Amino acid sequence: MQFRRKKANPNNGNKNALRVIAILIIGGVGLFCLFSNDDDYGYTIGNDDVSSTDGTFLRSGSLNEDAVGESRQQGMETRDNNDIKSPSSLLNSPEALRNLPACEAIRHALPGGESSSSAAAASSNIEFDASRPAIFTNWNPAALGTWSDRAAFANRFGNHAQYVKGRDVQPYKDGEGKACTASTRTLMDAMEKLFRKNNSNSGNDATSNPQEDGNNHHGHEKDLLFFTNDIENPSFLRALSKDYSMPPPLANLPPFSNSNNNDNNINDNNNNNSNEGTNGVFQVFSAMERGSSHPFHYHDAAWLGQVSGSRLWYFLPPNTPRRRVGSKVNGCDYLSNAAPLPKGATACVQKAGEVMYFPERWLHATCALEPWSVGIGGQAGSPSVYDQNFDNLLQSQPQFLGVEQKKIVECGVLDETDYDSNTATASEESGSTSSPEKIQQRNGDSANRDWTFYNGDLNEYYNKLERDEHAKRNPNKITSYAVHRWMGPKGSTLVHYELVRGAIHELILGKVPPPPLGDDNAAASNALPSSNEKKLRVFDAGCGLGAGLMWFEQHEPAWDLVGHTISEEQHKWIAEDLPRHDFRAKLRTYDKPLGDNDEEESPFHAVYSIEAAIHSPDLRSSLRSWSRALRPGGVIIVIDDFLNVGVSADDPDVELFKSSWIANSVHTTVEIATWAEQEMDMVLVRDRDLGSEYRIIQRNYRNKKPELRDEQGRVHQGWLGSKVRQRLMVDGKISYRLIALQKKGTDPSKDDIDSVVTTMEQSQSCSSVPSVEQFGAGSENPSTLSITIDPILMSGKGKKGGEQMACISGWYCCDQGANLWDELEQTRTDRTGFLKLPRELFGHYLTSFSKHLTDFYRTYPSNYPEGEEGKARGIFLDIGGTGSVASGMQQVSSKFSNFAGPLKYWVLDSDPAAKKLTNALVCDIDDCSEASDCGYDVTFSHTVLEHAARPWKSFDTIARITKRGGLTLHLVPWSYQYHATPDDNYRFSHKALTTLLEDRGFEVLDVGYDVCTQPEHMLKTRKDEHFEVIWLTYVVGRKL
């Protein structure tokens, strides 16, 4: 609850009480008579209380050597005078000190800071009186070292949207009565400007003290508070949460015990505007300029950690009568004697690295003592109770800097003349951390000092690039304005669109991706088949100059294409320069694909973003927005630079890339996959390293790292960013990738998509295996191959499969299923129907495999392959056939070559060691573009598919690459110990294998279980995690 504010009366001073206190102090009453022994923030006036000639610090009054010694014996903290406050503190005045009553908050030191796990454990055992305010010292979050730099904070978090709030913690309103919002950077800039303006109006400079001229500068009509929470601004608080955590003693208290400020618990009400905190607790952020205040109010229990500057707290106990509190005034007015301090109030100074805690219903007021005083913390209850019931700031604030400044003026915060000043604020200079001087210092280059930075304004960043390069563009040639990184031996910038199109065809339409082109000539365009029988809706997130939209319109004329850009110049090029087109390009943030209220248009089938997602102020939030705009089963395809696993986002070179490229979102694909699965109901289905596939470091960069200097007068920061990006790729810190996220569920309209081609339909155009009917029809008595495949296992080491093995491995021998089934029937005590499997399901997989392979090969003509019109022999593809060398296994090269019969024996494996083999495809079976469609007579795997990350995708690939009429044979575990070579993910029943094949157009010829047991000598001599009995599941299918 907060009282309505009334104007302070500077004449109502409590002068008599102050005189009594002063007399007691001067009369020799020591510090320990006035203040708690555990408080070293009580300031008194002694003979030498302000002895510093420059007024830069205040000595702790009457702490003589004897008193210091006594305090140390009693465990009281003391400090060097210079540690008390900064030169710009409001405490640099004797007047300021006469009104500081005792601080009764007991102080507790956190052992070792929050970074130590052992210290955290010790901290959780600290006992304190939770019914009274308390201060915890030695708090050492990462924020303490990073947020204190105002410019660095603006550079890192500057694009997040914020409400522009006044001293009453309510948003300013624009001319239409709407709440004013601005980016963090613009809000910080306005706070600084208003601070300087207020000090200038009072006759002081920005660092002077308000008491010196006797004026009450706190009586100004305007003030700005940077105060927000994770209910109204979840993305901002989530970004901050990486740099701090709640001290363990507080985390154990009932008001906060169900809360944590980590990513998983930051409130995220993207689907509604419910303003209830997670488990009744919400996170808060507070930043104030010197002299700003929160007047007296109370609420539920709360804590606030100070990470920059310092603030003065005034406390009154619960149930203090309202008449005693008096008028609601700026808390700094008590300090300057401009307003009477309520009777019974206590005061405490909190500096950076300290945490203030107070229980519910304690009245409190604050005063920021220094510029850029920043705190982070949490509060029990709900913001709606405290008139903080605002709509969620779900999206980042677009960086239209001039527009935002006009809005600040329109909302009545500043005047137009305030933005005409030539004096830049620290927030305006937030790019200074990556200034040319810093670049030169960091990289040791003779870097050109004329790089032009745009302070995070992405609109102007792209506007300037377009103005510089406009004359070079040819609107009739897409390659002239497709400004992505070129790829491939032909140096094409259109490969990106081919890759996106291929992914959409495969993931949405279920089609084989169309062949690549590599150029935008008309002949190639006309020759390429399209999916024009269905009108898909596709969104270009960050469409730039419209090259992608134009390319897709030419190649997929039936698609409904929409794109967003925030660059006015790019939008102007699309609207005025490009040839007539049907796609729609809008001047709007890509975080709103469906408009402001997600009601403007129907959902999309696909969203793609090429070299634009990295600019998002909060990629996590952007992906959520795109996901919400998708139909079930829809996909998000991103081509961009990603941080490699193990590389710190705080690496100096990465930081330079962030600032010069305006790369606000540099993440690993692992992070994105985790967000997608946990928060968006999406799955990462593609992750391709385009840098490796297209040899970008070798072809584009010639394995060289460039000097960070301009070339041919190109001083735009983007050219610097491209050089830093090249350095990071060569150093292996980032990689250029294509990722695809697919939304779970089935699109209800999918049945109406005439262009969807099922696996069964695909098979009709798929080449078939040879048969006597096809190639022996000219003979009077056509004959077939006379061949037998023996049910044996080979070692795989050496030529022709190596040596024959007696058992499947040294640990197990198989073909025990029927015996165990019979034994159970004779000895069973119970008969539970749903547990029992029929005996015919138990067999020996080798017997089954050899029988079906023999029968299959005997359908080939006797003169195969010569009878197949001179064609080369078909291929037997052994999936995972080399062994996981990366996991410590020995490589094999021909283990199942005896199963290949008349076919060539090839292996497919993701293990890098397989690259040394001449008969190997090196790829992941979940997504293997190297394996040709309908290219293999037999596809086979032996205890491999349990290691696949997404085996349903593995079977998709198997269905795609197996010839019509071809065989597929697989052995997988059902009951088996965990074995990470390199991962172990799934187990399969006979029902699962049947479904996986039949759903993909296969006829199941045989399916069953092979039970394997340990030989007697193993049971007697070996013991580890190996099961004594294992069950393997086998299946044989034929593609229809």
Side-chain angles (χ1 to χ4, degrees), residues 254-256 279-282 299-303 360 378-383 385-386:
F256 313 121
N279 295 319
V281 180
F282 59 98
H299 46 67
D300 287 331
W303 70 277
E360 62 179 335
Q379 182 176 321
S382 167
V385 179
Y386 310 110

Side-chain angles (χ1 to χ4, degrees), residues 553-587:
E553 181 163 304
Q554 292 179 4
H555 295 77
E556 297 286 356
W559 286 9
D560 180 16
L561 301 165
V562 181
H564 287 184
T565 176
I566 64 168
S567 167
E568 295 152 343
E569 292 293 334
Q570 289 179 343
H571 187 260
K572 181 180 178 182
W573 160 269
I574 295 173
E576 299 180 4
D577 294 283
L578 286 187
R580 184 185 178 280
H581 51 266
D582 293 324
F583 67 78
R584 288 164 293 154
K586 302 179 181 181
L587 184 62

Side-chain angles (χ1 to χ4, degrees), residues 106 108 110-111 114 119-137 139 244-261 281 283 301-306 350 354-359 376-380:
I106 306 300
H108 306 272
L110 298 171
E114 74 162 25
S123 298
S124 63
N125 295 323
I126 292 178
E127 296 184 0
F128 68 99
D129 184 358
S131 66
R132 307 187 67 81
I135 297 175
F136 296 88
T137 64
W139 187 53
Y244 77 96
S245 64
M246 184 190 304
L250 299 180
N252 296 330
L253 291 181
F256 313 121
S257 59
N258 292 325
S259 173
N260 194 354
N261 57 289
V281 180
Q283 312 299 323
W303 70 277
L304 191 80
Q306 193 75 11
Q350 179 190 18
E354 296 182 340
V355 175
M356 177 65 74
Y357 158 79
F358 50 91
I376 187 76
Q379 182 176 321

Side-chain angles (χ1 to χ4, degrees), residues 6 55 100 367 399:
K6 297 181 180 179
L100 278 183
C367 169
Q399 288 298 287

Side-chain angles (χ1 to χ4, degrees), residues 151-152 155 429-440 442-443 448 451-453 455 652-662 717 720 724:
N155 197 55
E429 297 172 347
S430 59
S432 63
T433 54
S434 298
S435 63
E437 290 78 5
K438 293 280 186 178
I439 296 167
Q440 182 179 12
R442 183 178 296 168
N443 295 280
N448 187 293
W451 292 110
T452 302
F453 278 72
N455 300 322
D653 292 328
V654 176
E655 289 287 352
L656 179 57
F657 174 58
K658 290 178 183 178
S659 60
S660 57
W661 195 250
I662 313 187
Q717 70 175 83
L720 170 63
V724 180

Side-chain angles (χ1 to χ4, degrees), residues 392-405:
N392 299 342
L393 291 165
L394 299 180
Q395 312 297 341
S396 59
Q397 188 76 12
Q399 288 298 287
F400 298 104
L401 187 59
V403 174
E404 287 197 343
Q405 291 176 345

Side-chain angles (χ1 to χ4, degrees), residues 505-518:
H505 271 252
E506 184 176 356
L507 297 172
I508 300 297
L509 300 176
K511 286 186 174 182
V512 175
L517 291 178

